Amino acid sequence: MLTLRRSHERGRADHGWLQTAHTFSFADYFDPAHMGFGPLRVINDDHIAPGSGFGMHGHRDMEIITYVLEGAIEHRDSMGNGSIIRPSNVQRMSAGTGVMHSEFNPDPQRMTHLLQIWILPDRKGVAPGYEERAFSEADKRGRLRLVASPDGADGSVSMHQDARVYAGLFDGEEHAEHALAPGRRAWVHVARGAVRVNGEALSEGDAAAIEDEASLVIDGGKGAEVLLFDLP
C-alpha cells in the first residue's frame, strides 16, 4: 500500500529569516494524523536566510540528521564539535542524555536549504554523539546510497535505531529498486525535482508511505534528489 503526502499538505511557518515546511507535527503545527511514521518523527524542510540561524538550544533522546541541499550550515555544540556542513555531507547528532547546539547560515548573501530529520532512538539515555560523512554526487547518481544506519555499514553515519536512510539522484532512465524485508515499511521524501515511486508521480516536497509491500521502485526522475527511510 502506498499513501501520498503532498507538499502542499504540510504544515508551514514563516519566521522571516526562516521559511519552513513540516511533514509531521512540529512546534505550532499540530495534526494528530501526522505525528510521524514509525520512528521517523520529523522532516523539516528549512530555507534559512543569509547570516541567520538557530541560536544555542537543547535536545535530548533524539537522533538528528542534517541533510543540506543548497548553501551551508555552521554547526557548534556543547560536545566541542564545530563544522560547516555542505551538500556533500550528512551529519548525525545523537542528543542522548542532552546536548546544546547552534546552527547558522554562514553565507552573508546566499540562502541555505536543508532538511532536518529527527528519528526516535531505540533506547533513552545514551551518551551524546556526533558524526559526519561525505557522499559525492557520483555516490548517489542513479542509485540509493546508504547514508545512515544502525551499524555504520558501507561508510554511513551510525544511529541508535534500526532504521536505514538512503539518498539518490535520478534523471531520465536512471532507476532503483529497494526490497523491503517482512515487517518493514518505507518513507520516500522527494527533496527536489520529480520522480515516480511505484508508478506514482511525486514532485519536490511530496512524500510516500509504503507499507505491506515487498519492494519499491524509483524511476522517471527529472532532476530528482530522493531520501528513502527503511523503517521497522
Side-chain angles (χ1 to χ4, degrees), residues 1-14:
M1 180 175 68
L2 186 147
T3 305
L4 300 181
R5 173 76 159 142
R6 294 297 186 186
S7 177
H8 70 268
E9 299 170 342
R10 298 179 295 176
R12 296 182 181 273
D14 180 352

Side-chain angles (χ1 to χ4, degrees), residues 11-22 47:
R12 296 182 181 273
D14 180 352
H15 300 284
W17 62 273
L18 170 67
Q19 308 291 321
T20 184
H22 306 304
H47 290 80

Side-chain angles (χ1 to χ4, degrees), residues 171-229:
D171 265 308
E173 298 299 315
E174 295 171 341
H175 66 281
E177 182 172 2
H178 181 78
L180 288 171
R184 305 285 293 188
R185 51 189 155 179
W187 185 273
V188 177
H189 178 88
V190 180
R192 53 184 163 192
V195 76
R196 288 194 303 260
V197 177
N198 284 5
E200 292 282 353
L202 278 73
S203 298
E204 182 172 332
D206 290 347
I210 297 101
E211 299 177 277
D212 301 319
E213 297 282 350
S215 66
L216 62 95
V217 175
I218 296 173
D219 62 10
K222 298 176 181 177
E225 186 160 6
V226 174
L227 291 182
L228 164 67
F229 301 84

Side-chain angles (χ1 to χ4, degrees), residues 17-44:
W17 62 273
L18 170 67
Q19 308 291 321
T20 184
H22 306 304
T23 296
F24 305 112
S25 295
F26 187 87
D28 293 333
Y29 167 61
F30 176 73
D31 181 349
H34 295 95
M35 295 299 297
F37 186 71
L40 177 58
R41 178 61 187 85
V42 167
I43 302 178
N44 288 345

Side-chain angles (χ1 to χ4, degrees), residues 73-77 79-85 91 130 132:
I73 196 77
E74 184 173 5
H75 168 94
R76 303 282 177 187
D77 65 43
M79 295 178 283
N81 299 299
S83 179
I84 295 181
I85 306 158
Q91 178 209 62
Y130 180 92
E132 188 179 324

Side-chain angles (χ1 to χ4, degrees), residues 103-152:
E103 297 168 295
F104 277 89
N105 176 358
D107 195 306
Q109 297 181 317
R110 187 179 180 189
M111 294 285 292
T112 289
H113 181 198
L114 61 82
L115 299 176
Q116 185 165 103
I117 298 153
W118 292 9
I119 295 175
L120 295 166
D122 56 14
R123 60 192 182 278
K124 294 184 177 181
V126 301
Y130 180 92
E131 195 174 7
E132 188 179 324
R133 291 285 186 272
F135 302 93
S136 70
E137 181 173 326
D139 288 332
K140 298 177 282 187
R141 171 57 56 197
R143 63 187 288 247
L144 291 166
R145 174 62 162 93
L146 184 67
V147 297
S149 67
D151 55 2

